[in-house]
């Protein structure tokens, strides 16, 4: 059998992780689609979080992110506050319910990651993380591709 290409391997691991997380979240009866989970994560972890910054980070249209954020607002998971640095935007913060939801999502992610890495050593996991980070920086970092 021929070994899979790097491209195929990356697509497979990303797809398997996303699919398993979607199913795990569904099985846990959490009422959030994937995009909402990613947006809530951004609100919880991004310093000075705004809709524009989330749209850039997620590489999505700002209008789409605004709709997702409005859903999170309606669900009572986030709130908005005036941005003292830019009156045209608002800073986003998790509510206590949003923080509790994020803790539950983190537990589910840990379960998925535990299953995903169950036959790997800690050294293998750390090596994978370093390689994945390096590849990401090669594509997204400030360095030109040939440096």
């Amino acid at each position: 059998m021929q070994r899979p290409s790097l491209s195929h391997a990356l697509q497979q691991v990303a797809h398997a992780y996303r699919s398993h997380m979607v199913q795990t979240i569904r099985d846990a009866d959490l009422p959030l689609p994937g995009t909402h989970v990613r947006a809530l994560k951004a609100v919880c972890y991004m310093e000075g979080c705004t809709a524009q910054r989330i749209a850039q980070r997620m590489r999505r249209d700002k209008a789409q992110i605004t709709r997702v954020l409005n859903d999170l607002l309606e669900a009572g998971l986030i709130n908005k506050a005036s941005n003292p640095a830019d009156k045209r935007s608002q800073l986003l913060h998790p509510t206590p319910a949003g923080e509790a939801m994020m803790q539950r999502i983190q537990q589910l992610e840990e379960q998925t990651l535990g299953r995903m890495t169950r036959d790997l050593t800690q050294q293998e996991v750390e090596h994978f993380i370093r390689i994945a980070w390096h590849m990401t920086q090669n594509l997204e970092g400030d360095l030109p591709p040939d440096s």
Side-chain angles (χ1 to χ4, degrees):
M1 179 193 276
Q2 186 178 11
R3 283 182 71 179
S5 68
L6 177 58
S7 175
H8 183 72
L10 289 171
Q11 289 170 0
Q12 289 296 104
V13 75
H15 177 73
Y17 176 76
R18 269 193 302 271
S19 295
H20 194 272
M21 277 306 304
V22 165
Q23 189 60 49
T24 300
I25 286 171
R26 215 178 274 139
D27 291 348
D29 291 324
L30 294 184
L32 296 178
T35 305
H36 291 61
V37 170
R38 290 181 61 209
L40 181 60
K41 278 184 179 184
V43 172
C44 288
Y45 300 124
M46 187 184 289
E47 193 72 31
C49 184
T50 65
Q52 182 64 38
R53 290 191 63 208
I54 293 173
Q56 289 169 341
R57 177 180 177 178
M58 291 177 61
R59 294 183 181 90
R60 298 277 193 246
D61 179 71
K62 187 171 179 270
Q64 179 187 15
I65 295 303
T66 299
R67 287 188 294 275
V68 168
L69 293 173
N70 285 337
D71 290 346
L72 295 175
L73 278 164
E74 263 184 51
L77 299 175
I78 65 171
N79 57 37
K80 293 179 180 182
S82 294
N83 184 351
D86 181 357
K87 298 296 181 192
R88 298 169 297 163
S89 69
Q90 295 179 318
L91 295 176
L92 304 167
H93 303 281
T95 63
E99 289 174 354
M101 179 69 73
M102 193 74 260
Q103 285 180 336
R104 182 66 180 125
I105 291 166
Q106 285 176 323
Q107 291 169 348
L108 297 173
E109 284 179 339
E110 287 173 19
Q111 288 174 9
T112 295
L113 292 172
R115 180 174 175 181
M116 192 173 176
T117 60
R118 71 176 161 219
D119 298 327
L120 301 175
T121 66
Q122 185 62 35
Q123 184 179 5
E124 288 171 323
V125 171
E126 289 171 6
H127 189 69
F128 175 80
I129 291 168
R130 279 192 305 277
I131 290 171
W133 180 253
H134 190 92
M135 289 176 165
T136 301
Q137 290 304 300
N138 284 344
L139 295 174
E140 295 180 350
D142 295 331
L143 297 176
D146 294 327
S147 28

